[in-house]
Amino acid sequence: MLYVMCIFMLGLVLGLVVVASNPSPYFGALGLVVVSGMGCGILMGHGAPFLSLVLFLIYLGGMLVVFAYSAALAAEPYPETLGSRGVLVNAGAYLGLLLVGGGLFWSDWFGGLWFTLDEGFEFSLTRGDMGGVALMYSQGGGMLVLSGGVLLLTLFVVLEVCRGSSRGALRVV
């Protein structure tokens, strides 16, 4: 399980580098999906499978709106790919900064983050997030409805912005 968590963490960092290196919006959206999947995999390994599922579905809904917006505004005939020179230079700079920062702050402060929930409790009868599921539906139901309403409002805002050059509010491109 330790190797799986290491792969999830490496995928999370590489996905963040893809998003930060500023490629075409198509590849940026792909990087966001990878980051979301790897982050939810880390949460699932640490004992929160239901929370990971809910976050993944919410992130994918939000990223679908962001992808539709960015694809509508940046319709390039020759988009900048992940193998382009500028993107590779940016990615190399980000990875270099990550290595320097990791070298400066390398110590044992993160020692407990490698262990998953299943490795710590051999004789546990319940999962770690079962109490959180009931709490989220009893006291957090209003926040779930509010989050859905905000996503719907975001969808309407994106559709208004991308409606066209003659009637759109912020269409500059």
Side-chain angles (χ1 to χ4, degrees):
M1 193 67 187
L2 178 67
Y3 293 125
V4 173
M5 293 303 288
C6 288
I7 289 172
F8 279 146
M9 288 184 197
L10 181 69
L12 181 79
V13 169
L14 290 179
L16 287 172
V17 167
V18 166
V19 171
S21 62
N22 203 11
S24 173
Y26 303 114
F27 297 107
L30 174 69
L32 284 174
V33 170
V34 168
V35 166
S36 172
M38 295 297 164
C40 288
I42 291 171
L43 279 175
M44 196 167 50
H46 284 294
F50 184 75
L51 177 67
S52 142
L53 176 68
V54 168
L55 284 176
F56 192 66
L57 291 176
I58 290 172
Y59 286 164
L60 283 182
M63 282 186 285
L64 180 66
V65 170
V66 169
F67 177 72
Y69 172 71
S70 62
L73 284 182
E76 303 173 16
Y78 302 106
E80 194 170 4
T81 63
L82 293 175
S84 299
R85 181 181 173 129
V87 174
L88 287 178
V89 167
N90 287 341
Y94 288 127
L95 285 176
L97 284 174
L98 182 70
L99 289 175
V100 168
L104 288 176
F105 298 110
W106 189 261
S107 65
D108 289 334
W109 65 270
F110 57 86
L113 296 177
W114 295 103
F115 297 111
T116 61
L117 184 69
D118 295 331
E119 293 175 359
F121 302 103
E122 286 84 17
F123 300 110
S124 178
L125 296 176
T126 61
R127 294 290 301 183
D129 67 337
M130 286 301 125
V133 173
L135 186 65
M136 187 173 73
Y137 279 120
S138 66
Q139 296 179 353
M143 187 56 78
L144 286 175
V145 170
L146 180 69
S147 300
V150 167
L151 282 176
L152 186 66
L153 177 68
T154 305
L155 177 66
F156 287 140
V157 167
V158 166
L159 289 176
E160 179 65 28
V161 168
C162 298
R163 191 161 44 154
S165 62
S166 63
R167 290 187 279 167
L170 299 174
R171 182 74 182 212
V172 178
V173 184

